[in-house]
């Protein structure tokens, strides 16, 4: 089923949203956030990922990225595939108090659309081609303001799982390629 979001420019810069099915708050646990970070780092080193901005929220991720290999869809497919497998491994091996409930939700969505055992990510990525400096700044501000709007932190740069720290020249858990923008914090 097409959502109208197409990745027409193979080497374009895209704003993406990856959402967990059923809005399951999987990323409230550090172990799952760290899987995402490790996977992004791997993709930076081996899959041609140029990462300009990101935020990991409780049940979704926003990225501003480009794939230097000219295969953004391949990056998305591989990233979602790999992280899904890792999430399921953690659910099976770690003490996860929500395991049974999460697996029911993921199994329901897997059978619903793909006839697979589990589905963790929605199929939609809401890919938007970045086309101007104003659009870049809008998306960067939106990405970095997510934790503030959610009431997690008072200022974007206080949130560890966001590139706002990179843009504020603070220690960060993953490197990003900073785009030229005027940095502003939330007052």
């Amino acid at each position: 089923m097409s959502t109208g979001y197409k990745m027409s420019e193979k080497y374009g810069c895209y704003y993406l949203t990856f959402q967990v099915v059923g809005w399951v708050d999987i990323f409230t646990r550090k172990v799952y956030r760290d899987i995402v970070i490790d996977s992004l780092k791997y993709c930076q080193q081996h899959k041609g990922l140029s990462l300009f901005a990101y935020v990991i929220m409780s049940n979704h991720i926003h990225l501003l990225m480009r794939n230097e290999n000219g295969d953004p869809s391949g990056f998305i497919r591989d990233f979602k595939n790999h992280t899904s497998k890792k999430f399921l491994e953690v659910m099976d091996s770690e003490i996860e108090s929500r395991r049974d409930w999460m697996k029911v939700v993921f199994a329901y969505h897997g059978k619903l659309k793909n006839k697979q055992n589990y589905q963790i990510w929605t199929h939609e990525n809401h890919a938007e081609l970045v086309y101007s400096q104003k659009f870049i700044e809008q998306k960067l501000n939106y990405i970095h303001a997510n934790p503030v709007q959610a009431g997690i932190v008072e200022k974007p740069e206080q949130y560890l799982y966001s590139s706002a720290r990179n843009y504020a020249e603070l220690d960060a858990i993953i490197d990003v390629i900073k785009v030229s923008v005027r940095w502003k914090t939330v007052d």
Side-chain angles (χ1 to χ4, degrees):
M1 174 200 270
S2 176
T3 60
Y5 294 96
K6 302 289 182 197
M7 300 184 86
S8 57
E9 300 291 327
K10 293 190 323 183
Y11 293 97
C13 180
Y14 285 94
Y15 167 76
L16 302 171
T17 300
F18 299 157
Q19 176 187 325
V20 178
V21 297
W23 291 100
V24 172
D25 287 325
I26 192 169
F27 302 122
T28 56
R29 304 271 202 273
K30 181 182 184 303
V31 64
Y32 301 111
R33 293 189 307 262
D34 288 344
I35 288 170
V36 169
I37 293 297
D38 290 344
S39 297
L40 289 172
K41 287 179 180 178
Y42 179 86
C43 290
Q44 286 175 314
Q45 295 170 358
H46 303 285
K47 298 279 186 178
L49 174 65
S50 290
L51 185 62
F52 304 106
Y54 76 95
V55 67
I56 303 172
M57 298 301 291
S58 66
N59 52 27
H60 66 284
I61 299 169
H62 294 295
L63 302 177
L64 190 59
M65 56 74 65
R66 177 177 58 225
N67 184 261
E68 302 301 333
N69 297 339
D71 188 16
S73 296
F75 153 72
I76 292 168
R77 178 196 61 237
D78 293 349
F79 174 82
K80 285 183 169 183
N81 230 348
H82 176 76
T83 53
S84 293
K85 288 176 185 171
K86 290 294 185 185
F87 296 159
L88 290 168
E89 286 175 15
V90 168
M91 279 183 239
D92 286 336
S93 66
E94 299 284 325
I95 297 173
E96 172 57 81
S97 60
R98 309 168 300 167
R99 173 188 352 210
D100 294 338
W101 167 74
M102 290 168 73
K103 284 194 162 187
V104 166
V105 173
F106 298 150
Y108 170 78
H109 286 276
K111 288 178 177 48
L112 186 66
K113 292 190 177 175
N114 281 349
K115 297 181 180 26
Q116 61 189 30
N117 291 336
Y118 299 105
Q119 178 181 336
I120 294 178
W121 298 107
T122 64
H123 293 294
E124 298 80 18
N125 305 308
H126 305 284
E128 295 182 57
L129 182 64
V130 175
Y131 54 85
S132 70
Q133 184 66 29
K134 182 178 178 181
F135 190 74
I136 289 172
E137 290 183 13
Q138 175 198 21
K139 292 306 181 186
L140 275 173
N141 290 334
Y142 180 81
I143 288 169
H144 294 157
N146 254 234
V148 176
Q149 296 299 320
I152 299 169
V153 293
E154 290 183 15
K155 296 180 180 178
E157 60 271 21
Q158 294 172 325
Y159 190 61
L160 183 62
Y161 289 89
S162 167
S163 56
R165 296 185 60 79
N166 303 78
Y167 283 84
E169 302 291 333
L170 298 172
D171 289 338
I173 56 177
I174 187 172
D175 292 330
V176 299
I177 301 167
K178 293 190 290 185
V179 294
S180 179
V181 294
R182 290 166 296 178
W183 173 254
K184 69 177 187 179
T185 190
V186 176
D187 293 69

